[in-house]
Amino acid sequence: MYNDYLNGKGPNWIAKELQKEKVPKWESTYKWYESSIRKILNNEKYKGDAFL
């Protein structure tokens, strides 16, 4: 996901690809939304920017 984003792919494209590849979400569904991808990409813990 991060590699795709850094290579210029947008959150909408990433969501469509995850759905096409049947990648499950945390609640075991396969429906990905652009807003979900944006939250993941901006989450400081996933990005490695969290200060403890």
Side-chain angles (χ1 to χ4, degrees):
M1 183 182 306
Y2 285 99
N3 284 335
D4 287 336
Y5 185 72
L6 291 173
N7 287 326
K9 307 293 195 273
N12 191 35
W13 184 90
I14 295 170
K16 287 179 182 179
E17 285 296 308
L18 290 172
Q19 281 181 204
K20 187 167 66 172
E21 294 174 12
K22 301 277 190 206
V23 176
K25 289 173 49 178
W26 47 91
E27 71 267 358
S28 300
T29 64
Y30 299 100
K31 180 68 176 163
W32 286 89
Y33 297 97
E34 180 180 357
S35 60
S36 301
I37 303 301
R38 285 186 191 279
K39 286 180 186 177
I40 292 170
L41 292 173
N42 290 318
N43 186 310
E44 65 182 16
K45 293 178 181 123
Y46 291 143
K47 292 191 311 187
D49 289 342
F51 290 105
L52 302 175

